[in-house]
Amino acid sequence: MFHPSISRITATTALLVASVLPSLPEQAFAQTARPAKVVVGDVELHYIEQGQGEPVILLHGGQGDYRAWQSLMEALVPRHRVISYSRRYHWPNANPLTAANHSALIDADDLAGLIAALRLGAVHLVGTSYGAFTALALAIKHPELVRSMVLAEPPVHSWVTGTARGATLYRERVATVHEPARRAFAAGNDEAAMRLFIDTFDGPGTFDGLPAERRTSILQNARFFKAITSSSDPFPNLPKDAIRGLRMPVLIVRGADTDELHRMVTEELGRLLPKADRLTVPRAGHGSPRQNPRVFNAAVLEFLDCRK
């Protein structure tokens, strides 16, 4: 059943809670905490940890790394133990690009190893984009490790490619973004590849208009996109029956202005989890946690408080 304050959060609760949260920039990359490192198998994962209480793990999207969640960490640490980590091909990890089939399934295995290494037990997961995809993959394989999930537009494209419109949108995305980016990476032009991705999700000209430090941060995480564009299965299917069988509380988030392909996938996730809470973030697209962090952060705080 929908929690009433979450189901109305776009119009009421989120904006009210947001009004008392600290005023922070869209994405704060300055990080005062020094990261620690765990090694899972032969994979290094850097992370930062703050606060006490039930553990909350933050899973960034493709553009980010452990630094991407600074404003949400500041909102959560008074009440929770918060861990933000960099997935295997994100800064500052130095893992070689060896897997020809990198996907969220591999990232989910890394996440399970991180949880075990830090002896966290069951955790709350907050993920955006590919981080949300990773959270879903972990929940299917290890539901005992997941207390609850906040999922902002996981790109499980296979759910909609069975429809004519979904198949068309996905083919267009591959042809106009992934394939040209793969060729740019192969030619050693990481900046051109990342400009394609950023301008696709955030609008033409966005990459060149970003502050220099933001562009640098994005380029530091280009290795993930290099792995995905060369992967044999970058967006693997997650069985719908397995998703329907999930029993932990879930908050499904999408940006009001997100692109059609991600909107279709998010709507399908809602159909698979009809009891999940929902949030549409105003003035945001696919990257709602960084595009409208005050509303997103307020919703996460409210959702986790309801779990206590």
Side-chain angles (χ1 to χ4, degrees):
M1 179 177 296
F2 286 71
H3 189 279
S5 62
I6 293 290
S7 63
R8 297 194 302 269
I9 201 163
T10 299
T12 56
T13 311
L15 296 177
L16 182 62
V17 177
S19 69
V20 299
L21 290 177
S23 179
L24 295 164
E26 275 190 359
Q27 180 103 340
F29 287 93
Q31 184 61 255
T32 56
R34 292 180 61 86
K37 180 178 76 172
V38 297
V39 177
V40 176
D42 58 353
V43 175
E44 67 176 38
L45 301 172
H46 284 80
Y47 69 96
I48 55 173
E49 179 178 349
Q50 297 176 359
Q52 296 181 341
E54 291 185 351
V56 180
I57 297 182
L58 309 179
L59 295 104
H60 58 78
Q63 301 179 28
D65 50 60
Y66 75 81
R67 299 170 294 182
W69 294 106
Q70 180 69 14
S71 66
L72 181 56
M73 289 192 77
E74 292 190 17
L76 293 179
V77 291
R79 313 181 199 186
H80 303 277
R81 178 184 179 187
V82 189
I83 297 101
S84 179
Y85 82 105
S86 295
R87 290 182 285 111
R88 68 160 60 188
Y89 291 137
H90 294 259
W91 186 91
N93 301 324
N95 302 303
L97 290 171
T98 54
N101 63 337
H102 185 70
S103 76
L105 303 182
I106 292 175
D107 280 332
D109 288 340
D110 292 347
L111 175 55
L114 175 76
I115 291 170
L118 298 182
R119 300 179 180 180
L120 298 176
V123 302
H124 302 280
L125 298 175
V126 179
T128 181
S129 190
Y130 216 79
F133 199 157
T134 301
L136 264 179
L138 179 75
I140 290 174
K141 190 169 185 179
H142 296 289
E144 74 282 358
L145 295 180
V146 183
R147 293 176 184 265
S148 72
M149 292 188 290
V150 177
L151 303 171
E153 301 190 23
V156 193
H157 299 313
S158 60
W159 289 347
V160 299
T161 52
T163 68
R165 182 58 178 166
T168 297
L169 289 171
Y170 183 68
R171 285 195 302 267
E172 290 175 351
R173 180 66 52 83
V174 171
T176 60
V177 182
H178 284 255
E179 277 301 309
R182 183 188 60 78
R183 292 193 295 269
F185 282 131
N189 194 343
D190 290 8
E191 183 169 310
M194 293 311 300
R195 182 180 291 106
L196 271 169
F197 279 106
I198 303 308
D199 287 1
T200 295
F201 293 131
D202 294 345
T206 297
F207 182 85
D208 289 333
L210 292 172
E213 65 272 16
R214 177 80 171 99
R215 293 197 304 272
T216 296
S217 176
I218 289 171
L219 291 172
Q220 287 172 331
N221 291 306
R223 295 172 70 249
F224 163 74
F225 290 92
K226 189 178 298 185
I228 287 299
T229 55
S230 62
S231 174
S232 61
D233 191 16
F235 303 101
N237 181 51
L238 298 182
K240 291 185 179 181
D241 285 345
I243 300 297
R244 291 189 188 98
L246 296 176
R247 294 293 177 261
M248 69 285 294
V250 176
L251 171 60
I252 299 171
V253 180
R254 78 169 177 89
D257 305 319
T258 196
D259 63 278
E260 187 178 0
L261 180 60
H262 286 109
R263 178 179 56 78
M264 290 180 67
V265 174
T266 304
E267 289 174 351
E268 182 62 17
L269 178 60
R271 285 188 285 269
L272 295 173
L273 296 174
K275 294 184 179 181
D277 298 325
R278 321 286 178 89
L279 169 69
T280 299
V281 180
R283 301 181 303 280
H286 181 59
S288 58
R290 59 183 166 78
Q291 293 166 338
N292 195 340
R294 299 190 76 186
V295 169
F296 180 86
N297 294 355
V300 172
L301 196 62
E302 171 75 4
F303 176 75
L304 292 176
D305 281 350
C306 291
R307 309 281 73 80
K308 291 183 176 180

